[in-house]
Amino acid sequence: MKQPAPIESLSAAQARREHARLGEEIATHDRRYYTDDAPSVSDAEYDALRQRYEALEAAFPGLTTPESLTQKVGTAPSEKFAKVRHRVPMLSLGNIFAEEEVAEFAARVRRFLGLGENARLAITAEPKIDGLSCSLRFERGALVQAATRGDGYEGEDVTANVRTIGEIPHHLKGHPPDILEVRGEVYMTHADFVALNARQKDAGKTPFANPRNSAAGSLRQLDPAITASRPLHFFAYAWGEVSALPASTQMGMIAAFKSYGLPVNPLMVLCQTADELIAQYRAIEQQRASLGYDIDGVVYKVDDLALQNRLGFVSRAPRWATAHKFPAERATTVLRAIEINVGRTGALTPLAKLDPVTVGGVVVSNATLHNEDEIIRKDIRIGDAVTVQRAGDVIPQILGPILDKRPKDSKPYVFPDKCPVCGSAAVREIDSKTGEPEAVRRCTGALICPAQAVERLKHFASRNAFDIEGLGEKLIEQFFNDGLIKTAPDIFTLPERERRGMINLREREGFGELSVNNLFNAVEARRTLPLNRFIFALGIRHVGETNARRLARHFELFEALRETARAATDGSEARAEINNIEGIGEVVAEAVADFFVENHNEEVLDALLQQVTPVPMEAVTSSSPVAGKTIVFTGSLERMTRDEAKAMAERLGAKVAASVSKKTDLVVAGPGAGSKLAKAAELGIETISEEDWLKLAGQGD
Ligand code: IVH
């Protein structure tokens, strides 16, 4: 690590910049440690960052603001919470911002369900509470477990703390289902927030930044007595596992929750049209300031649960709901620098470094500038005063420069045409479809560029890929810089190299017996891995988690994918096979083929397969009669749309293909089916009607 400059030698501006940068860095580590449970630096490194941060504040008192990290309370519990795996994932919501998008949302739902414009479609509207979501599990009416959302799949066990929230019953009234997981938002009212901050101040402690933070900080306390002393509230608005649904609509479910004694939001209404939804949005926005608690938008949900079920989910958000967010908050600050980061695919992405500014209760000092064209189009220059916008949890954006405040000597920004990391030419490829240059400029030094190599390694070890606990981004950077890990297989030879005395991790600064053992155990735990995660980890261009899953489902074995991909030259049958996988198109098929023909990748793969074994991915619903089968839909379907049929098949663990081949197991044919039906007959493939398909899928009458 570079030795930091002595604090006495810093100018006020230098100190301010370093303080802001450190603040960001520490906040990131806090998030990794507390929220993600995946710290990427040692405690010693973390402490060093904090010490420097505090020393800066001691030398430059102006840096201590209410937002400062030194002013936050209770950030460092000594142990972590136990983890709870959510039986039904806690997903997030898609967002819309403009009123026009409300009708689009309703139209999308109608299109998916094949509902005509005049068919009834009831949608609820309710406030989006700005707190933290929590899942409460009741068994035979008794509260048995409470968990935070965490990453959506695994949260923290906060049962003892939730039991101290007066509004949440320990026993439900009436006749709730035997198993009922109620989901909702834990929040703090404005009045309680102000009173809590006054108490904090009296006790010589520092106030919280906003009600959301104080609610989160209060719930995630290791000592339930502290939670009990902090007034928290709850609104129930969703559910997870339920043994028998007490109602068939969203409104009905919420009414049932209310009858069990759970608090529900009074502003939820049922609407029949997009105009009614917008009217409710405006009505809620009008009341926003007087509600007494923070909300950040309005949530729309399809009321009928059978329709919700048909609509299902796309990646991590339901198709049947969306959040209509209130307009983003804005602020003005100065753009100090444009930093160029190089990603794993060589993309050069510009990051704006700003004078820290508070936007909607959060201190912002980085913002995205999207890409080169955007900087040119908006003529954003270093030194400009700029408008920053922050909406939700996304990285803040720069809207544009304030021209009246532009310094006289400013010059247009010139985007680098060399990779700032390896010096290779950075070019914009021509998009083969449009004939236009791509928006992104990329480093051409794929094999020699350390930034790409290290970003690939980070991706490889990341949570949704190999998920190697303890091997965080910082450590990967260090190991890479020290030559301990150059490519992914090197991760798996660490234990062997240590045993043979080729390396000596135990003697590394900040490392000890325990951390080395933990790391090695984490490495050993990943010697086998579901194929979809393995494919995702390879970092093939355009192959994210969804496409990785599609490939894994189709090929089942890694060798099958590899063999086909190697043979998948332009126009080959192998290329067509990949292209024909539902959801995968030409661009992805080409990227997959490109990856496997690259000799360097093949070498790394061979070395990797010596170390780890991909195993078949967990089937989505292995018990379904169509799990693992390849289905083709043809002709017109009458009871559902094509999209819906596909989604249903995929949910049941089947693959959907676009054309009939020897590999097809089942053809679902509606009226008007033509050549595909003939081909199926010729190949002797089982063909069924839409009606039979619904029965097979367990949706028949
Ligand atoms: S419904 C499957 N309703 O917003 C979707 N979420 O951005 C279940 N939230 O994680 C969520 N108020 O923490 C729903 N009335 C409301 C909400 C709400 C706040 C939060 C929730 C969710 C996040 C998504």
Side-chain angles (χ1 to χ4, degrees), residues 126 182-185 234-238 254 257 262-265:
E126 72 199 67
V182 175
R183 288 172 178 177
E185 206 84 353
F234 183 76
F235 279 130
Y237 53 64
I254 301 305
F257 288 172
L262 289 159
V264 300
N265 193 283

Side-chain angles (χ1 to χ4, degrees), residues 471-488:
L471 190 60
E473 299 200 342
K474 270 274 140 57
L475 200 57
I476 290 180
E477 271 170 29
Q478 291 172 11
F479 280 11
F480 182 82
N481 291 337
D482 297 349
L484 290 171
I485 298 178
K486 292 196 206 67
T487 57

Side-chain angles (χ1 to χ4, degrees), residues 155-187:
E156 293 162 331
D157 188 332
V158 288
T159 314
N161 296 350
V162 162
R163 283 191 205 281
T164 70
I165 301 178
E167 239 171 48
I168 296 181
H170 292 188
H171 290 276
L172 297 178
K173 297 192 293 192
H175 303 284
D178 277 355
I179 295 174
L180 174 63
E181 277 178 14
V182 175
R183 288 172 178 177
E185 206 84 353
V186 171
Y187 66 97

Side-chain angles (χ1 to χ4, degrees), residues 89-95 125-134 149 183-185 235-239 250 265 268 296-301 313 316-318 320-321 323 325 393:
M90 288 181 81
L91 298 159
S92 59
L93 289 170
N95 287 330
E126 72 199 67
K128 183 169 189 302
I129 316 298
D130 196 7
L132 81 159
S133 51
C134 198
R149 182 176 120 141
R183 288 172 178 177
E185 206 84 353
F235 279 130
Y237 53 64
W239 54 95
Q250 186 74 32
N265 193 283
M268 179 172 174
D296 58 350
V298 175
V299 182
Y300 305 137
K301 299 173 183 169
F313 293 81
R316 304 195 63 184
W320 46 265
K325 302 292 277 288
D393 299 333

Side-chain angles (χ1 to χ4, degrees), residues 91 142 217 219 272 283 333 367 509 568 593 616:
L91 298 159
L219 188 65
Q272 304 296 339
T333 185
E509 210 187 301

Side-chain angles (χ1 to χ4, degrees), residues 591-615:
V592 171
D594 286 352
F595 180 88
F596 284 92
V597 298
E598 176 67 58
N599 283 334
H600 175 82
N601 289 341
E602 286 283 281
E603 278 165 32
V604 174
L605 266 180
D606 284 333
L608 185 60
L609 290 166
Q610 299 268 312
Q611 302 295 330
V612 299
T613 313
V615 296

